[in-house]
Structures are given as C-alpha cells and as structure tokens.
Amino acid sequence: MTSTTQQKANSKLLVRIIVALVIGAALGMLLPQNFMIGDTSLVSVITPFGDLFVRLLKMIMVPIIICSLIVGSSSISPAHLGRVGGKAILFYAVTTLIAICIGLACAAVFAPGLGLDLSDASKAVEKAANAPSMGQILLNIIPTNPFDSIAKGEILPIIAFCLFFGVGLAFCRDSKDERIKNSADTVFNLFDGMSEIMFNVVRWVMQYAPIGVFALMFVVFNKSGAAAFGSLFNVTATLYVGLAIQVLVVYTAVCALVGLNPFVFLKKVRPPMLTAFVTRSSNGTLPITMQSAENMGIPKSVYGFVLPVGATVNMNGTTIYLGVCTMFIANACGIPLTGNDYFTIIITSMLAAIGTAGVPGAGALMLLLILESVGIKVSGSVAIAYGMILGIDAILDMGRTSMNVTGDAAAAVYVAKTEKELDLEQWNS
Ligand code: ASP
C-alpha cells in the first residue's frame, strides 16, 4: 500500500473509531442500567466484544516490545557514539526524565479519572500488599532467565534484556570482521522484518477497534453516565497542560541555557510541530524536522544523526502521556499507587519511550506495558478505563507526537550549539 493510500485508510479508521465512541457513549447513557434482553442484560452481551479487543492488543504487546526495542537500540551505531552521540543520548535521557515527572505531577494536581469510580477495591488491596521494595525493583530489572520473563510477560526484565541484546547487536553490525557483520545484519533484518509484520498485525487488530471501542464505551457510559465525559475531558486537558509545560518551560530553558533565543526556536520548530500534530507520526515528520533543523543553522553532521535516532528513541510527549494516563486509569479504578509504583512508572516509561515506534497510536500499546509493570492487570474495570483512553487516542496522539518532534529538534539545537557548530546567523534573522 502506498503511503497516501495508507494515510487515507488511517483517517477513515479514525473516523470510524470516533463514531463508534460517540454511538457507544450515547447508547450507554440513553439506555437504563441493567437493560435486559430476555433473560440476559445487554451489558453482559456487549462486554465480551470489548474484552476481545483488549485481548488482541495484549497478544501483540510483548512481540512488539521485543522487536521494536531491539531495532530501536541497535539503530544507534557505536561509530556515531562519539561526543555528538553521547551528548544527544544524555539530552534524551534527561529531558525524558523531566517529561515523565511533569506528566506525573500534572496528573497529581488535576487528578484525571478521580470520581469516575470503576473501582474494584479487592484488587487494589491485593496489589498494595505485594509491592516490592525499591532496591528489589531495581534488581528485578535484570532477568535471571530472559525467556522465563518473556513467557511470564514481565515487562521491565524484557526491556532490559532487549536493550542489552540491541546494543550488542549494534556493536556486531559495526564489526570489521565481515562474518560477524553479515550475521549481525541478518539478525537485525530478522527483527526489523518481524517488527514490520507485527505492525501489520496491529493494523488488522485496529480494524476491529471501532467494535471494541463501541463495546467498551457502552459499558462505561452505561455504568458511569456523564461522569465519564468529564473524566475524558480532564485527562485530555491534563496531558495538554503537561505538554505545554514541557515546551514552554523545559525547551525554553534549554535554549536560554545555551544562550539562544527561545522565541526563535519556537518559531522555527512550528512546521514540524504542526506536521506531527496532523500526521501523528514522528517518522513521517522527519523530513520536515530536518528541513527546520537546516533553517535553524544546524549542520547535517549533527541533525543527520540526532533527528533520526530521536524519532526512534526520544519521545518526550509520549512519556508525559504515559504518566498522565496511568494515573487516570489508577484513579478511575480506585487503585492506590505507592512510591515504588511511581518509581517503576518513571523507569518503565523512560525505557518504553525507546521502544515506541514513531507511528500513529504506538504509545497506546506502551500504556499497556506500563500498567502491567506496576502490577495493574488489564482486565475488568482497568480494560474499560483503557478503552476510554483508546477512544480518544487520536486527540492525545496529536499533542504527544507534536512534542516528540519538538524534543528531537531541541536535542539537535543543544548538541549543535554546545559543539559550536550552530550557524548563529539563522538565529538573528
Ligand atoms: N505517534 C507517536 C509518534 O509518532 C508515538 C505515540 O503513539 O506515542 O511519535
């Protein structure tokens, strides 16, 4: 399929999902609770259609993380890991850490999902009692048997193993020994191919999304009525406040720190921001981000590495989204989060960003991963809350993708300026 045909198909699907969300919500509100058809309640007939959608998503979660993390981490060539690469990666890590903290702080202030009451108190208690200590969380990141972790769906150990594997693969692909290089390239192509296959499967699963979203929306609106609208509005507003802080405070501070005018940055970064907003794809926006880097006077030797790698591993907007939405789901389902949970969310979100592909909707799959990593099982009320988020994912994805590309551009500016390679004339015009 050509990319234009693909884009048309995507936007048709988006319309179908939004229509399904509206119809599901409207019907859920209009029909009385416990509406019966013969002996069975309508909710119990519709619920499995939503559950099927969540199961399909969970089915593809682990294979997708494995493939995209290995491809993502091995795409950073060690040959490029000189000063420029090192600086860029440090910049990604610090801004991503700040982004997730901003996401969690905004969610703490605005408390999205609170009052929705999809709760299942018994689960929450069980979860709190099983909480490991912080030291144990860190130790548990390293799997004793990666295959066991894969089989059990233990997210952090899987991520850790894939990162080791990916970086090892990157070194082998750079080897001077032809035999090692060729076999490493074969392994890379295998995972790259598998990742493409998985994204095809995602596309098929998404064809079912309108039915799944309809079912999930019907159930939640039938149960919670108008309160659900307020919650969806609240989670969207919380995310956008977080994104605004990231761009207006963090990136502005970065510019000021290296002695550049933040307003010029904000003006020059507008084209990729807008393109990302409408395409919802960092990868698709890459040519425009590169063009804007040229306009900022960043040399190709810097942006040629920083931007493509950034589009793969640096996802500041997605991390804010992960923090906000995890808290939305926890609030909506009455699941208390402990200090250790927040710590796990921070680590997992930072790592998940690396595995988030720069394509529409990829972050929503990563949200499943964050939930699982803090022991929140995606079923029952959690699946319903997740379905609500998925129903408005397009709106959330626009903002987070826009921020993802802005973060990449900020990284390129930072590296170029501190390496004294920035053409400052472009900043005076
Ligand atoms: N759509 C985002 C991007 O392309 C990824 C995500 O879904 O969070 O950057």
Side-chain angles (χ1 to χ4, degrees):
M1 214 187 279
T2 66
S3 70
T4 344
T5 333
Q6 182 65 53
Q7 265 174 19
K8 273 191 192 152
N10 281 350
S11 54
K12 270 191 193 152
L13 177 64
L14 204 65
V15 173
R16 294 205 326 260
I17 293 178
I18 292 171
V19 170
L21 173 129
V22 173
I23 298 179
L27 267 183
M29 286 220 291
L30 289 176
L31 291 176
Q33 270 187 21
N34 298 326
F35 182 77
M36 303 294 281
I37 305 176
D39 285 351
T40 32
S41 75
L42 185 58
V43 167
S44 66
V45 174
I46 290 183
T47 301
F49 290 95
D51 290 348
L52 172 63
F53 181 48
V54 175
R55 286 188 82 102
L56 285 168
L57 288 172
K58 285 173 79 175
M59 172 184 84
I60 52 187
M61 185 178 78
V62 171
I64 286 222
I65 313 169
I66 294 177
C67 300
S68 34
L69 261 178
I70 290 178
V71 172
S73 51
S74 60
S75 61
I76 305 175
S77 153
H80 282 111
L81 277 183
R83 280 167 61 100
V84 167
K87 260 188 196 174
I89 289 169
L90 192 70
F91 185 92
Y92 299 150
V94 173
T95 48
T96 306
L97 176 64
I98 297 174
I100 176 67
C101 293
I102 290 177
L104 290 174
C106 288
V109 172
F110 295 104
L114 213 65
L116 188 56
D117 196 21
L118 304 168
S119 64
D120 182 343
S122 58
K123 255 191 215 149
V125 173
E126 185 190 316
K127 184 184 160 298
N130 290 337
S133 71
M134 210 173 275
Q136 199 60 43
I137 293 174
L138 282 176
L139 204 57
N140 286 348
I141 293 180
I142 305 299
T144 48
N145 176 353
F147 297 101
D148 188 42
S149 299
I150 292 172
K152 288 188 180 137
E154 292 165 352
I155 300 303
L156 271 174
I158 298 179
I159 294 180
F161 175 70
C162 291
L163 287 181
F164 275 116
F165 191 94
V167 174
L169 181 56
F171 273 90
C172 289
R173 289 184 73 206
D174 237 37
S175 169
K176 299 247 170 344
D177 184 325
E178 223 23 54
R179 184 190 63 83
I180 298 179
K181 186 181 174 346
N182 286 344
S183 34
D185 279 340
T186 309
V187 175
F188 176 83
N189 288 339
L190 175 76
F191 281 104
D192 198 27
M194 276 167 59
S195 145
E196 288 300 328
I197 294 170
M198 287 320 297
F199 279 109
N200 253 323
V201 179
V202 172
R203 274 196 279 278
W204 294 334
V205 169
M206 289 314 282
Q207 294 305 315
Y208 180 72
I211 299 176
V213 167
F214 165 82
L216 292 164
M217 285 302 104
F218 177 86
V219 175
V220 73
F221 277 84
N222 196 246
K223 189 174 174 203
S224 307
F229 269 122
S231 295
L232 285 180
F233 178 77
N234 195 352
V235 75
T236 309
T238 308
L239 173 70
Y240 276 81
V241 169
L243 296 175
I245 295 177
Q246 180 78 6
V247 72
L248 295 176
V249 178
V250 180
Y251 301 146
T252 299
V254 167
C255 287
L257 216 68
V258 293
L260 293 171
N261 183 345
F263 294 106
V264 178
F265 172 72
L266 291 178
K267 191 172 149 216
K268 291 192 186 268
V269 83
R270 259 188 335 212
M273 276 183 99
L274 279 177
T275 314
F277 192 81
V278 292
T279 60
R280 299 184 294 125
S281 166
S282 302
N283 286 351
T285 309
L286 197 54
I288 312 290
T289 321
M290 288 186 162
Q291 206 173 44
S292 140
E294 286 269 352
N295 289 339
M296 290 184 203
I298 302 169
K300 190 157 196 291
S301 57
V302 172
Y303 79 69
F305 169 78
V306 177
L307 294 181
V309 174
T312 319
V313 305
N314 185 40
M315 303 272 170
N316 292 174
T318 302
T319 4
I320 296 180
Y321 155 87
L322 292 173
V324 169
C325 292
T326 306
M327 282 189 67
F328 164 81
I329 292 174
N331 284 340
C333 301
I335 301 171
L337 293 175
T338 62
N340 286 350
D341 288 337
Y342 287 112
F343 183 61
T344 307
I345 293 172
I346 291 174
I347 296 182
T348 322
S349 303
M350 288 181 70
L351 298 174
I354 302 173
T356 308
V359 296
L365 286 173
M366 292 298 151
L367 180 56
L368 286 173
L369 182 153
I370 308 293
L371 295 171
E372 298 269 345
S373 74
V374 282
I376 300 179
K377 292 279 161 246
V378 186
S379 58
S381 57
V382 174
I384 292 174
Y386 178 75
M388 291 177 71
I389 294 287
L390 217 57
I392 53 162
D393 189 56
I395 302 167
L396 307 180
D397 199 6
M398 287 168 150
R400 65 181 190 250
T401 310
S402 200
M403 201 49 49
N404 290 345
V405 300
T406 313
D408 299 340
V413 168
Y414 171 80
V415 173
K417 179 68 175 44
T418 53
E419 285 295 302
K420 302 194 176 35
E421 290 195 35
L422 193 68
D423 177 4
L424 290 173
E425 286 216 342
Q426 303 289 340
W427 292 72
N428 298 327
S429 50

